Amino acid sequence: MKTMALDVSASSTGWAIIVPGDIRRLLETNRVDWLQTLEVLGLSRVSKNWRVYGEGAWSVAHGAWRLKSEWSREGEPHSKLEHNLTVLQRVFGIEHIAFEAPLTPQQRGGASNPGNDILIELLGLVKKFHFERGLRRLQGVHRASWQSEFIGRQKRGTKRKTLLDLIEERAVQLGFVCRKNDEAAALGVLTYFLLVNGITPPWLEEEVLRPIIGGPR
C-alpha cells in the first residue's frame, strides 16, 4: 500500500509515506528526479528521516515542509504544496492519501482566522490533486481518533503542547527521529490509517507491550 499521510498547515506541513521496497534503491532508479526528490524529502544517506523494514520489504520516510513565511507571495504556499506532492507521487507512485481533517466551525466555536482559511484552501488542493491523478483513496482522519490510537485517550482539556509532546514521544518510542512535531503527527495519521484498513504497520509488528508515555517532564 503506497500511502502518504499529511498534517497540513501553511507554516509547517508534516508528511509521512510508506512504500514497498528499499527506498535507497527506489531513489537510485529515479535519477532524473534525484535533486528534486532530495529537496522535497530532505533525504540523504546520512539523514535519519527514513527507515527500511523487513530486509527492504517496506520503507518509510517523513518530514515537514515550510510552505509559508512572512515573505511569501499570494498563492506561493499552494504552489509549493502541489509541487511537493507531485514529486513524491511521481517517484513513489503514491496511491492513497490520508490527512488530518480540520475542525468544524462548530468545534472552533464559530471562529475563523487567516490560518484556518488557508488550511481549508490547502486541503482543497490535496483533494484536487487526488482527483486529477486518479489516486485510489483519499481519507480525512479526525484528530481525536488518530490521537487516541497513537497516544491513548487523554483527559479532556489536555493542553495542545502536552499532546504534541506525547505524540513526539510516541514516535521516538517507535524508532523515529522527528525534527518537528508535525512529522510525528503525520506518522500518527499514517499509523491510524493503516490500522483501520486492516494493515499492521511494520513499526508496530514487534511491539509486544506498549510502553507507557507521558512520564515526568
Side-chain angles (χ1 to χ4, degrees):
M1 179 178 281
K2 302 175 182 179
T3 301
M4 174 192 303
L6 298 168
D7 178 29
V8 179
S9 77
S11 58
S12 184
T13 290
W15 60 270
I17 60 171
I18 179 169
V19 292
D22 189 320
I23 195 169
R24 292 164 293 190
R25 294 185 175 85
L26 291 173
L27 290 173
E28 287 169 358
T29 60
N30 287 278
R31 302 300 297 185
V32 174
D33 300 311
W34 180 255
L35 293 179
Q36 278 193 336
T37 304
L38 291 185
E39 180 183 0
V40 168
L41 290 174
L43 230 166
S44 72
R45 291 187 179 276
V46 297
S47 64
K48 299 179 180 179
N49 62 323
W50 57 273
R51 292 183 65 186
V52 178
Y53 296 89
E55 297 182 353
W58 292 98
S59 292
V60 176
H62 54 89
W65 300 319
R66 187 181 184 190
L67 303 178
K68 185 178 186 297
S69 71
E70 57 185 307
W71 299 284
S72 295
R73 294 173 293 171
E74 190 73 24
E76 187 174 348
H78 309 70
S79 178
K80 285 183 177 179
L81 178 58
E82 185 169 26
H83 168 75
N84 292 352
L85 292 175
T86 298
V87 170
L88 292 191
Q89 201 279 330
R90 184 169 63 233
V91 173
F92 298 111
I94 300 299
E95 300 171 329
H96 312 278
I97 298 179
F99 63 92
E100 182 181 281
L103 297 177
T104 65
Q106 293 77 13
Q107 290 170 322
R108 299 195 309 272
S112 181
N113 58 66
N116 189 73
D117 292 344
I118 194 172
L119 168 61
I120 299 301
E121 293 175 3
L122 292 171
L123 287 175
L125 189 151
V126 172
K127 294 176 181 180
K128 174 175 174 286
F129 179 88
H130 169 269
F131 173 77
E132 291 182 344
R133 268 57 175 194
L135 307 189
R136 295 178 61 185
R137 186 178 306 174
L138 176 72
Q139 184 172 330
V141 175
H142 293 293
R143 180 183 300 174
S145 298
W146 78 258
Q147 287 186 358
S148 294
E149 176 61 43
F150 199 60
I151 62 174
R153 293 187 178 276
Q154 302 299 315
K155 293 181 180 178
R156 187 178 182 84
T158 301
K159 294 181 179 179
R160 175 169 171 74
K161 183 181 185 307
T162 300
L163 292 173
L164 293 176
D165 287 343
L166 293 174
I167 291 166
E168 193 162 0
E169 181 181 342
R170 178 65 175 147
V172 170
Q173 285 181 353
L174 294 172
F176 297 105
V177 179
C178 297
R179 292 161 292 188
K180 291 189 175 183
N181 53 47
D182 309 273
E183 299 179 45
L187 287 164
V189 172
L190 181 60
T191 300
Y192 179 80
F193 176 82
L194 294 174
L195 288 172
V196 298
N197 284 284
I199 299 172
T200 301
W203 50 92
L204 294 183
E205 287 182 346
E206 296 181 359
E207 189 176 48
V208 178
L209 180 64
R210 181 167 175 161
I212 295 174
I213 62 173
R217 297 182 181 282

